[in-house]
């Protein structure tokens, strides 16, 4: 039987779109018996260190990613799930994560 992996989860670092600390997400994923969990906060990798440390302690496989807005006027609108086309990016390797972190810091994917 295949194991389920959640590939689109936001922590409290995705303001107004996620409420749980990364450690709480890992705890719930472990309780549910998920095979892996991806942390995909909006426009950045803000919770990945806490997420990775908690997942390592629980033996949960991790996927690092983020959700970016490809268009739209402002990602800080004060409303959940800001307008615009959203794309979830999942890293295949540590190198991909490093590239996306640099892009996130520069906002180079914003149109």
């Amino acid at each position: 039987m295949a194991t389920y992996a959640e590939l689109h989860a936001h922590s409290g670092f995705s303001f107004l779109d996620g409420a749980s600390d990364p450690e709480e997400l890992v705890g719930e994923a472990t309780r549910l018996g998920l095979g892996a969990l991806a942390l995909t906060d909006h426009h950045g990798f803000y919770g990945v260190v806490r997420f990775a440390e908690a997942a390592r302690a629980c033996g949960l496989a991790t996927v690092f990613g983020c959700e970016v807005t490809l268009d739209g006027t402002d990602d800080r609108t004060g409303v959940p799930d800001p307008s615009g086309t959203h794309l979830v990016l999942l890293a295949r390797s540590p190198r991909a994560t490093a590239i996306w972190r640099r892009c996130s810091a520069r906002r180079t994917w914003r149109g």
Side-chain angles (χ1 to χ4, degrees), residues 43-46 99-109:
H43 301 285
F45 295 84
Y46 312 111
I99 291 168
W100 290 346
R101 288 182 72 157
R102 284 192 297 275
C103 289
S104 176
R106 295 180 194 148
R107 300 284 178 122
T108 56
W109 48 49

Side-chain angles (χ1 to χ4, degrees), residues 11-99:
S11 74
F13 290 101
S14 288
F15 299 110
L16 300 175
D17 214 10
S20 300
D21 288 332
E23 297 86 353
E24 293 172 326
L25 291 171
V26 168
E28 186 64 8
T30 302
R31 185 188 73 76
L32 293 171
L34 299 186
L37 180 64
L39 185 64
T40 57
D41 283 322
H42 286 285
H43 301 285
F45 295 84
Y46 312 111
V48 295
V49 172
R50 290 172 52 185
F51 171 65
E53 289 173 351
R56 186 180 310 117
C58 293
L60 180 68
T62 57
V63 179
F64 300 114
C66 62
E67 182 175 346
V68 298
T69 303
L70 299 176
D71 53 17
T73 57
D74 188 356
D75 64 328
R76 299 178 196 268
T77 60
V79 297
D81 203 20
S83 65
T85 303
H86 295 219
L87 177 66
V88 174
L89 302 172
L90 301 174
R92 292 178 77 165
S93 68
R95 183 171 185 262
T97 302
I99 291 168

